[in-house]
Amino acid sequence: MAEAGPLQVQLCYAAPGLQILRDLEVAPGCTIQQAILDSGLLREQPAIDLSTCKVGIFGKVRPLDTPLRERDRIEIYRPLIADPKQSRRRRAAHQERGQGE
């Protein structure tokens, strides 16, 4: 049986004023965490903390030990600044005040 060749995957990270989209070649069986470490991104962007940032593949949150497949897109998500539910409540309250005048 022939040995499987490297997998082609993509690494994505965005922050205010910064967008990184990097094509990577990883060994079969490589995990999300190993691909991120091998990419050098954590050295270039020390603000990324994998212990607090969630990661995913194509918009679905996945654990760091998830094995990669051909053409996966690894995404590193930044922590939310505000709770989305609380923000919605504030907007709704603001709109109600504006209509009551």
Side-chain angles (χ1 to χ4, degrees):
M1 185 178 205
E3 187 175 310
L7 304 175
Q8 302 297 318
V9 298
Q10 200 169 56
L11 177 63
C12 303
Y13 176 73
L18 174 71
Q19 180 178 339
I20 295 172
L21 188 61
R22 188 172 293 171
D23 293 323
L24 304 174
E25 203 173 81
V26 299
C30 184
T31 64
I32 292 174
Q33 182 174 20
Q34 191 60 51
I36 293 170
L37 292 172
D38 290 350
S39 75
L41 181 64
L42 300 180
R43 286 188 302 276
E44 297 168 20
Q45 301 297 321
I48 299 173
D49 181 359
L50 292 181
S51 66
T52 58
C53 292
K54 292 185 179 187
V55 298
I57 296 175
F58 290 115
K60 296 192 186 258
V61 175
R62 297 282 186 246
L64 287 168
D65 61 355
T66 301
L68 295 170
R69 296 184 300 185
E70 180 71 19
R71 303 185 72 182
D72 275 349
R73 184 180 66 219
I74 304 164
E75 300 164 341
I76 302 173
Y77 308 118
R78 292 178 289 125
L80 295 176
I81 295 171
D83 177 16
K85 290 181 182 179
Q86 188 62 31
S87 295
R88 249 188 317 275
R89 286 186 198 111
R90 274 196 304 270
R91 284 193 304 273
H94 179 73
Q95 288 175 347
E96 285 177 15
R97 283 194 304 270
Q99 291 175 356
E101 294 176 8

